[in-house]
Amino acid sequence: MWNSVSNESGEPRVRTYAEILKQKQDDEGWQSATSAKQAEVETEVLKLYKLRNVPILTRQKHISFLKKSLFRQSESYQLDSSRPWLCYWILHSLQILGERLDSDEYSKIVAFLGKCQSPEGGFGGGPGQLPHLASTYAAINALCTIGTPQAYEIIDRKALKQFLLSLHEEDGSFCIHKDGEQDIRGVYCALSVAKLTNIYTPEIFKETENWIAACQTWEGGFGAAPGMEAHGGYAFCGLAALMLIGKPQLFCLRSFLRWIVNRQMRLEGGFQGRTNKLVDGCYSFWQGGAFPLLHAILSMEDNVYGCHWLFDQEALQEYLLLCCQHPHGSLLDKPGISQDVYHTCYALSGLSVAQNSPRPLIIGSRILNLVKIIHPVYNLENTCAANALKYFNTLPIPD
């Protein structure tokens, strides 16, 4: 058994192989396409757990992969409209791993993101592209991760405010871009950038809290829009948006808790995004990142609410470190899936959440495996979020 942090009773909490094996799916004799896929994933995961390798974060391999990916992507990537996202995913991952680039590299990235900024406000997916709330969120998070005066000053806050106003609908929702669809991602992205850059006003977000609350489903999670299925990414966006707007009391906490605790897979240890779906490394953040927010809400109600999050933090770390690390660097959706920076980013964000509860829980070597703490609302490394908020909150809200 590897070194593990103990729980309050002093007993190790890392699962034995026998305990993991007991969690195999029982299809009760009614095999379906879904149950067959689940069985395949469990078989691959069990092979890795049976090896009982020591869980070690291969930090330098991930750093090498990320640095190579920053300036050169595989030809299989079709992401010309997502270039600010690539900057954010890579820079944020490096920050979580404790790696900074040199000032010249940061300056080049800031200059590139400046070319993605529209005169109308907001950022497009590449130079000359129409501004979009998702790429605006990614660009501003990347700039806040860089955290230099040049990075902060390149953001046209006045135009950004007008851009957000132009996308706001009467029912409180936001179009994701001009004449685009309305969904809860847009609301979260708008609130996140508005709060980070200190351009938030009640006018921009009139009726928004009520629209968010209407997206909670009968299952308990949040869907993309009212009446749609609960989903991990949308659930995080809904909860984080309500926290940003200061109205967490507007959703049903009890049903949300019931839904989200049941998204952690019993055998794998990672999270699924929706009911009856497969485990996926990216939901380590999209689902796992909701738990610090839930802890904050519960702590407000009860003053003190435990020292750990309400999920199995060690099991998630096991899944990420034993099943999701590619031998040449990067973190994966699940074993056997190809490398990409998206899953690397959100798996590392989830690893940070799993380690850094009020009482830290770190499996394996603390020296080798510990990563930086993230701000769960913005998904920025904590010091990057704090520095950005400190800088922009000294500036007046533009007219």
Side-chain angles (χ1 to χ4, degrees):
M1 181 70 69
W2 51 74
N3 292 330
S4 173
V5 178
S6 299
N7 63 14
E8 283 120 339
S9 68
E11 295 299 320
R13 296 184 63 200
V14 173
R15 303 172 299 167
T16 66
Y17 180 71
E19 289 170 335
I20 295 170
L21 195 59
K22 288 179 182 177
Q23 303 301 325
K24 285 190 72 173
Q25 171 194 221
D26 178 9
D27 64 13
E28 299 181 338
W30 291 93
Q31 190 178 78
S32 66
T34 302
S35 67
K37 283 286 186 183
Q38 176 63 26
E40 289 176 16
V41 172
E42 289 184 1
T43 297
E44 292 305 308
V45 167
L46 282 169
K47 288 177 185 176
L48 294 167
Y49 282 143
K50 191 172 185 179
L51 295 173
R52 305 311 286 163
N53 290 329
V54 176
I56 296 174
L57 177 67
T58 53
R59 189 183 306 264
Q60 290 305 317
K61 289 183 178 181
H62 302 322
I63 289 171
S64 177
F65 167 78
L66 289 161
K67 286 184 173 181
K68 288 177 184 176
S69 300
L70 186 57
F71 297 106
R72 183 177 180 181
Q73 290 292 332
S74 164
E75 292 180 1
S76 64
Y77 276 44
Q78 300 294 321
L79 292 170
D80 189 56
S81 61
S82 301
R83 294 168 75 184
W85 279 110
L86 294 172
C87 294
Y88 166 58
W89 293 330
I90 294 167
L91 294 175
H92 179 51
S93 297
L94 289 169
Q95 190 74 24
I96 291 172
L97 292 168
E99 183 75 5
R100 296 285 292 177
L101 303 179
D102 64 43
S103 58
D104 287 344
E105 289 174 308
Y106 281 137
S107 185
K108 289 176 184 177
I109 296 166
V110 171
F112 167 74
L113 290 171
K115 294 176 183 177
C116 298
Q117 189 167 209
S118 169
E120 302 169 18
F123 293 76
Q129 296 185 26
L130 292 174
H132 189 290
L133 277 175
S135 50
T136 297
Y137 165 86
I140 287 176
N141 269 21
L143 292 165
C144 289
T145 299
I146 293 169
T148 61
Q150 180 196 13
Y152 294 149
E153 290 165 8
I154 206 166
I155 301 170
D156 186 339
R157 295 169 62 246
K158 184 172 183 177
L160 177 60
K161 182 182 174 185
Q162 293 305 311
F163 174 60
L164 297 185
L165 273 168
S166 73
L167 298 177
H168 179 260
E169 297 288 300
E170 287 186 9
D171 63 0
S173 64
F174 279 77
C175 295
I176 202 78
H177 57 82
K178 184 179 179 181
D179 299 323
E181 72 276 20
Q182 295 99 12
D183 69 46
I184 208 164
R185 296 171 306 157
V187 170
Y188 166 70
C189 290
L191 275 163
S192 179
V193 301
K195 288 285 189 172
L196 264 178
T197 62
N198 190 31
I199 60 169
Y200 174 91
T201 67
E203 177 193 11
I204 302 175
F205 296 97
K206 186 178 179 181
E207 296 296 325
T208 296
E209 66 268 27
N210 295 321
W211 189 87
I212 299 167
C215 293
Q216 189 170 21
T217 79
W218 63 270
E219 287 186 273
F222 287 82
M228 298 186 74
E229 180 186 12
H231 178 282
Y234 299 132
F236 171 82
C237 288
L239 179 59
L242 286 175
M243 298 293 283
L244 284 164
I245 214 165
K247 297 291 180 68
Q249 71 276 14
L250 292 183
F251 82 117
C252 181
L253 175 61
R254 187 184 184 93
S255 63
F256 187 94
L257 275 169
R258 183 179 61 247
W259 177 80
I260 199 165
V261 296
N262 282 291
R263 301 285 70 77
Q264 187 170 23
M265 307 298 279
R266 291 179 298 177
L267 184 145
E268 300 92 311
F271 285 91
Q272 63 181 182
R274 291 179 285 163
T275 303
N276 212 33
K277 294 294 183 179
L278 301 176
V279 69
D280 186 332
C282 73
Y283 292 110
S284 303
F285 175 75
W286 293 123
Q287 303 285 26
F291 285 92
L293 309 183
L294 293 167
H295 185 93
I297 295 169
L298 291 165
S299 296
M300 285 188 285
E301 292 181 355
D302 298 340
N303 295 320
V304 178
Y305 201 86
C307 297
H308 302 123
W309 311 138
L310 294 175
F311 72 93
D312 190 332
Q313 295 169 232
E314 293 94 332
L316 178 59
Q317 291 176 64
E318 285 182 280
Y319 177 67
L320 293 172
L321 295 178
L322 297 176
C323 303
C324 293
Q325 292 195 98
H326 192 281
H328 301 303
S330 78
L331 283 95
L332 310 174
D333 165 347
K334 58 180 68 66
I337 302 298
S338 58
Q339 298 168 279
D340 68 83
V341 294
Y342 167 84
H343 284 90
T344 301
C345 171
Y346 291 107
L348 285 171
S349 296
L351 180 63
S352 175
V353 169
Q355 291 182 348
N356 293 298
S357 48
R359 180 179 294 174
L361 286 175
I362 301 153
I363 66 167
S365 166
R366 184 183 181 90
I367 294 172
L368 295 175
N369 292 350
L370 181 64
V371 296
K372 299 287 188 178
I373 299 171
I374 63 166
H375 191 300
V377 172
Y378 300 108
N379 197 16
L380 286 169
E381 190 269 328
N382 228 18
T383 59
C384 295
N387 290 340
L389 290 166
K390 181 179 179 181
Y391 174 86
F392 288 112
N393 284 340
T394 64
L395 304 178
I397 297 174
D399 297 329

